[in-house]
């Protein structure tokens, strides 16, 4: 039985297994292994973050395509627009690729802070929409006025009444002497009754941090009218929460928002023309069974249909539809490639046994050895139970001082070998016992990356990401695996889950390389990543395909070197440099030539990044 690591569930056709390797299903279909080796040969070691702009394009095309299709099918007269929420990924290699591949679509950006607004103003093509959400101070609002005056199509979404007061204040200041006053468009975020589901649901709902209640909406409407700004009210906005696993709550939210739109329009908001449905479109991260109960087609159809119904019932024009889906657009484009450094229980090997000559081993150890030698499918279960019993007895004997450390070591090795062999023999049975056994013999794979830096949502929320080896896929993996990262924090582990088992290959890292790919890491993980133990953003590279399907690597940005990391923490580098140097120069253990050599080495290390480079391996290391 080959293991496709759930690729058919989470892969969305983006990758394919070709013989031994997993390949990019695009252009000339290079394997991730050959791309990785190509980059490593240029001297970049440690984990690599590979970006694939063609997968950003694919997601944008899918999103726009689904809504264009739905609009045609329902003969919907409102338009469709989308913006990318920068909080999902603000890295320049990503944002610049996004703008480039979105081409003629007029795909815009959403900003939630001043820094993001500056990125949006600099990178959004004029005319494509910019939306601004989140808490805003006077300066942020003034920046939006500057954007509007520079020709940007920008909408400020108000989250509370006092923001509107500030907008009015800035409007008075900025437009006092203007011959033709220019203000950003204004959107109102509504506080929904309905809530989403799942671990990210809390950004919607009545107790949400954001949005205006009905009373506040009416109040805001009056304020705009009195200030003669009602013509700027353009958009109703809501956001139901991220990674919606079901579509039911969205339908409820659409009806709520649609009715508020229609009510305000009938009241006299003549330029109100858009509903912004926020983000929340889910990504299928599961390697075992699908977790999302809707398709993108159904999502688009539901949105268009709901809006059409309400517009018809209330006799108002069909609104333009905006989305701010971020996770859906960004997640697939990035793959983290991380080298395996070590397998922890490799010592449980037959060759490590230290059996004494016949007759000198404790009888139970001899018995374990015989069980191991005569284990078959038909007797595996029984022998295994015997072995576990013997182990209990032998450990007690050790505690009481009747057997020695070598006997105890033999016990551990033999029981481990018996469990391993039993698991293989009983593999076809999907029994609870098998799961328990797998759990027991799990192998700990030490992997050169930081979970805190590269998979923070796993650490914080238990979000699963698909993991698979990049090669050996023509061989059956036999080791139930847990993944250990290189931070010295025991939370830096992806434990083995018997209900969603990850099986990896039994490899000898001293003889061969073994790389894991962690997929769908392009949304949130990079920016939420933290420098626990001072491991920084991994080396990243952009993989582009030309018209012939040939790939090339561009935009390599190496992980920060040790001194840069310390500088970021505002250490005084001059002082650190001096202190290290003086210690060596004053050392009594070294002569002059040795001092020169040690200094040279030190400076080389300081220029390198903090991921592991050398390991016991004969391959020359990481
Ligand atoms: C976070 C956020 C989004 C993006 O949500 P995704 O789940 O990534 O699609 C969109 N709009 C608002 C207002 C947000 O806060």
């Amino acid at each position: 039985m080959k293991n496709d690591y759930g690729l058919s569930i989470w892969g969305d056709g983006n990758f394919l297994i070709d013989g031994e390797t997993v390949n990019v299903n695009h252009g000339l279909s290079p394997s991730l292994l050959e791309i990785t080796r190509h980059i490593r040969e240029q001297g970049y070691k440690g984990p690599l973050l590979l970006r694939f702009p063609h997968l950003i394009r694919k997601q944008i095309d899918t999103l726009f395509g689904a809504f264009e299709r739905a609009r045609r099918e329902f003969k919907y007269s409102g338009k469709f627009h989308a913006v990318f929420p920068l909080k999902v990924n603000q890295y320049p290699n990503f944002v610049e690729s996004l703008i480039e591949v979105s081409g003629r679509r007029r795909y815009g950006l959403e900003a939630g802070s001043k820094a993001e607004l500056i990125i949006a103003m600099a990178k959004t093509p004029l005319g494509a929409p910019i939306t601004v959400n989140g808490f805003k101070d006077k300066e942020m609002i003034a920046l939006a006025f500057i954007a509007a005056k520079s020709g940007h199509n920008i909408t400020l979404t108000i989250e509370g009444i006092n923001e509107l007061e500030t907008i009015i204040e800035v409007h008075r200041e900025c437009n006092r002497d203007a011959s033709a006053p220019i203000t950003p468009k204004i959107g109102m975020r509504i506080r929904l009754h309905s809530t989403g589901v799942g671990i990210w649901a809390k950004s919607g709902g009545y107790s949400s941090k954001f949005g205006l209640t009905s009373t506040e909406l009416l109040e805001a409407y009056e304020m705009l009218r009195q200030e003669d700004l009602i013509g700027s009210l353009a958009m109703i906005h809501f956001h139901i929460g991220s990674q919606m696993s079901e579509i039911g709550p969205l339908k409820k939210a659409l009806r709520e928002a649609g009715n508020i739109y229609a009510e305000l329009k009938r009241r006299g908001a003549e330029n109100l023309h858009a509903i912004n449905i926020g983000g929340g479109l889910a990504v299928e991260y599961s390697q075992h069974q699908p977790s999302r109960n809707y398709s993108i087609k159904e999502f688009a159809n539901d949105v268009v249909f709901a809006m059409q119904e309400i517009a018809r019932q209330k006799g108002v024009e069909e609104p333009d539809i905006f989305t701010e889906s971020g996770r859906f657009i960004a997640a697939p484009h990035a793959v983290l490639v991380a080298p395996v450094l070590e397998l922890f229980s490799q010592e449980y090997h037959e060759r490590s046994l230290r059996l004494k000559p016949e007759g000198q081993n404790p009888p139970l150890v001899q018995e374990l050895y015989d069980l191991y030698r005569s284990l078959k499918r038909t007797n595996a279960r029984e022998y295994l139970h015997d072995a576990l019993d013997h182990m209990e007895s032998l450990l007690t004997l050790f505690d009481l001082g009747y057997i020695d450390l070598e006997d105890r070591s033999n016990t551990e090795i033999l029981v481990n070998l018996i469990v391993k062999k039993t698991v293989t023999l009983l593999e076809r049975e999907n029994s609870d016992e098998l799961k328990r056994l797998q759990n027991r013999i799990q192998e700990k794979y030490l992997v050169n990356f930081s979970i805190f830096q590269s998979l923070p949502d796993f650490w914080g929320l238990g979000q699963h990401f698909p993991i698979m080896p990049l090669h050996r896929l023509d061989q059956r993996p036999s080791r139930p695996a847990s993944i250990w990262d290189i931070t010295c924090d025991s939370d830096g582990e992806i434990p083995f889950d018997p209900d969603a088992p990850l099986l990896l290959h039994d490899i000898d890292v001293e003889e061969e390389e073994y790389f894991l790919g962690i997929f769908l890491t392009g949304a949130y993980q990079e920016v939420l990543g933290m420098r626990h133990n001072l491991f920084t953003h991994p080396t990243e590279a952009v993989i582009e395909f030309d018209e012939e399907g040939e790939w090339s690597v561009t935009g390599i940005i190496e992980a920060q070197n040790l001194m840069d990391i310390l500088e970021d923490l505002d250490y005084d580098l001059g002082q650190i440099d001096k202190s290290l140097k003086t210690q060596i120069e004053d050392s009594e253990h070294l002569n002059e030539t040795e001092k020169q050599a040690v200094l040279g080495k030190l400076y080389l290390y300081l220029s390198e990044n903090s991921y592991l480079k050398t390991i016991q391996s004969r391959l020359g290391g990481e």
Side-chain angles (χ1 to χ4, degrees):
M1 185 184 60
K2 276 201 211 137
N3 188 336
D4 80 342
Y5 292 92
L7 188 59
S8 58
I9 300 170
W10 58 265
D12 199 26
N14 296 337
F15 300 95
L16 54 90
I17 293 176
D18 181 12
E20 196 233 349
T21 56
V22 54
N23 295 20
V24 186
N25 189 13
H26 191 73
L28 296 176
S29 301
S31 68
L32 290 174
L33 186 66
E34 76 187 269
I35 296 173
T36 300
R37 290 210 166 123
H38 174 82
I39 297 171
R40 287 169 65 86
E41 273 158 23
Q42 296 170 46
Y44 301 101
K45 302 292 162 99
L48 290 174
L49 185 96
L50 306 180
R51 297 191 198 277
F52 294 99
H54 75 276
L55 293 178
I56 310 176
R57 178 187 295 127
K58 176 185 160 188
Q59 294 306 94
I60 296 175
D61 286 350
T62 305
L63 181 69
F64 278 80
F67 275 93
E68 278 154 16
R69 232 202 80 268
R71 286 180 58 235
R72 269 201 311 277
E73 186 177 326
F74 292 97
K75 301 199 169 47
Y76 189 80
S77 59
K79 297 194 179 66
F80 174 74
H81 303 280
V83 290
F84 179 80
L86 281 166
K87 74 161 191 271
V88 179
N89 195 328
Q90 306 100 340
Y91 276 78
N93 266 341
F94 171 79
V95 173
E96 280 157 16
S97 295
L98 176 94
I99 297 297
E100 195 183 312
V101 301
S102 63
R104 55 178 181 83
R105 293 210 181 266
R106 296 189 158 245
Y107 189 41
L109 295 171
E110 183 263 359
S113 66
K114 278 181 267 194
E116 287 182 0
L117 182 53
I118 296 297
I119 300 177
M121 288 164 66
K123 297 291 174 184
T124 312
L126 277 190
I130 297 177
T131 59
V132 186
N133 300 322
F135 295 116
K136 305 164 201 74
D137 62 3
K138 189 165 172 189
E139 288 67 27
M140 186 158 170
I141 289 169
L143 277 173
F145 274 73
I146 294 174
K149 288 180 190 247
S150 332
H152 272 302
N153 169 12
I154 182 167
T155 306
L156 270 174
T157 307
I158 56 173
E159 314 267 0
I161 291 288
N162 41 9
E163 274 182 10
L164 182 54
E165 280 164 3
T166 317
I167 291 176
I168 290 171
E169 197 184 319
V170 175
H171 165 64
R172 287 181 187 154
E173 285 170 20
C174 283
N175 284 322
R176 193 180 315 131
D177 306 317
S179 48
I182 291 186
T183 55
K185 294 179 192 166
I186 292 173
M188 289 189 193
R189 177 153 176 183
I190 60 172
R191 187 169 291 243
L192 290 173
H193 247 307
S194 28
T195 47
V197 284
I199 43 183
W200 283 282
K202 64 177 178 292
S203 39
Y206 226 65
S207 55
S208 147
K209 211 159 105 186
F210 297 112
L212 303 171
T213 63
S214 316
T215 319
E216 288 168 331
L217 283 171
L218 291 171
E219 202 179 321
Y221 180 86
E222 277 314 308
M223 285 167 70
L224 285 171
R225 211 177 45 85
Q226 274 164 22
E227 196 61 33
D228 210 15
L229 276 176
I230 201 68
S232 298
L233 177 57
M235 180 185 284
I236 292 299
H237 176 267
F238 71 87
H239 173 59
I240 189 165
S242 211
Q243 185 69 359
M244 311 184 285
S245 53
E246 300 168 19
I247 204 151
L250 176 76
K251 289 191 189 173
K252 267 167 93 179
L254 286 167
R255 280 195 292 276
E256 245 183 289
N259 279 301
I260 288 170
Y261 159 82
E263 287 288 317
L264 291 176
K265 205 147 171 74
R266 290 211 304 201
R267 238 165 214 271
E270 74 271 15
N271 289 341
L272 178 59
H273 65 89
I275 292 204
N276 184 333
I277 63 169
L281 201 45
V283 165
E284 185 56 80
Y285 292 104
S286 173
Q287 279 184 279
H288 296 275
Q289 59 226 186
S291 60
R292 191 178 62 175
N293 85 341
Y294 58 92
S295 65
I296 170 91
K297 177 174 169 211
E298 187 183 350
F299 171 82
N301 283 355
D302 282 349
V303 173
V304 170
F305 179 76
M307 288 306 131
Q308 189 161 55
E309 281 278 296
I310 290 163
R312 189 179 296 146
Q313 275 165 20
K314 296 247 162 154
V316 294
E317 74 196 75
E318 294 170 346
D320 291 354
I321 294 164
F322 275 73
T323 78
E324 294 174 341
S325 270
R327 181 186 300 277
F328 176 83
I329 298 294
H333 93 281
V335 180
L336 182 76
V337 173
V340 171
L341 298 173
E342 203 175 327
L343 272 59
F344 273 92
S345 53
Q346 228 150 28
E347 69 269 27
Y348 292 133
H349 205 279
E350 215 175 321
R351 67 170 180 250
S352 322
L353 283 171
R354 295 160 184 271
L355 288 173
K356 297 165 185 163
E358 286 263 338
Q360 291 178 33
N361 294 297
L364 283 176
V365 171
Q366 189 59 48
E367 171 96 21
L368 278 179
Y369 186 69
D370 296 341
L371 288 173
Y372 171 57
R373 298 311 298 265
S374 48
L375 201 65
K376 294 200 291 279
R377 218 167 97 83
T378 45
N379 63 19
R381 201 180 296 272
E382 186 193 334
Y383 281 19
L384 173 77
H385 291 152
D386 291 349
L388 295 176
D389 275 352
H390 292 351
M391 181 175 70
E392 288 306 315
S393 311
L394 282 160
L395 290 176
T396 311
L397 287 174
F398 179 77
D399 290 347
L400 296 173
Y402 290 112
I403 65 170
D404 65 20
L405 193 56
E406 286 193 339
D407 300 328
R408 180 175 156 147
S409 156
N410 291 331
T411 306
E412 287 171 2
I413 294 172
L414 283 167
V415 172
N416 198 279
L417 291 174
I418 290 172
V419 175
K420 236 186 279 181
K421 203 161 159 188
T422 310
V423 169
T424 320
L425 291 169
L426 299 181
E427 197 169 39
R428 267 163 239 256
E429 300 179 22
N430 196 11
S431 63
D432 283 347
E433 176 153 33
L434 180 70
K435 284 185 193 168
R436 271 200 306 279
L437 289 176
Q438 285 184 334
N439 204 16
R440 178 174 189 126
I441 55 153
Q442 55 181 278
E443 175 61 275
K444 293 167 178 59
Y445 287 73
L446 180 68
V447 183
N448 199 358
F449 82 124
S450 156
I451 286 173
F452 302 89
Q453 172 60 234
S454 293
L455 299 180
D457 277 341
F458 176 80
W459 171 73
L461 296 161
Q463 173 60 49
H464 174 84
F465 293 86
I467 300 180
M468 70 187 286
L470 299 190
H471 45 141
R472 284 176 156 263
L473 296 167
D474 55 348
Q475 293 160 38
R476 192 166 64 185
S478 59
R479 310 297 303 267
S482 59
I483 308 283
W484 281 8
D485 75 4
I486 54 169
T487 66
C488 53
D489 188 315
S490 48
D491 277 347
E493 179 191 2
I494 302 177
F496 179 72
D497 176 357
D499 294 318
L502 172 68
L503 299 179
L504 295 176
H505 297 91
D506 194 7
I507 41 131
D508 185 349
V509 285
E510 295 194 2
E511 299 294 337
E512 60 197 315
E513 297 177 300
Y514 193 56
F515 295 102
L516 299 183
I518 305 177
F519 293 78
L520 300 172
T521 58
Y524 296 104
Q525 304 319 299
E526 292 178 64
V527 289
L528 291 178
M530 57 205 117
R531 306 179 162 201
H532 199 22
N533 269 162
L534 298 183
F535 292 112
T536 59
H537 190 264
T539 299
E540 61 173 276
V542 179
I543 316 302
E544 308 231 45
F545 289 84
D546 67 14
E547 268 144 39
E548 273 77 53
E550 296 278 2
W551 59 279
S552 60
V553 177
T554 61
I556 294 191
I557 301 180
E558 190 172 8
Q560 272 186 312
N561 73 31
L562 300 185
M563 285 307 244
D564 288 345
I565 297 169
L566 299 184
E567 188 170 30
D568 270 6
L569 296 179
D570 287 333
Y571 274 98
D572 178 344
L573 292 195
Q575 195 277 326
I576 287 186
D577 186 81
K578 199 162 145 216
S579 155
L580 295 173
K581 211 156 147 189
T582 320
Q583 284 164 20
I584 293 171
E585 278 165 357
D586 295 352
S587 168
E588 290 167 5
H589 307 294
L590 302 169
N591 67 31
E592 278 317 306
T593 339
E594 285 168 338
K595 283 179 185 172
Q596 285 315 312
V598 171
L599 271 175
K601 229 180 207 170
L602 176 70
Y603 282 108
L604 175 66
Y605 293 158
L606 291 180
S607 72
E608 289 174 347
N609 71 58
S610 63
Y611 286 96
L612 299 195
K613 238 185 127 125
T614 37
I615 195 78
Q616 301 83 332
S617 167
R618 278 172 240 151
L619 292 170
E622 281 324 313

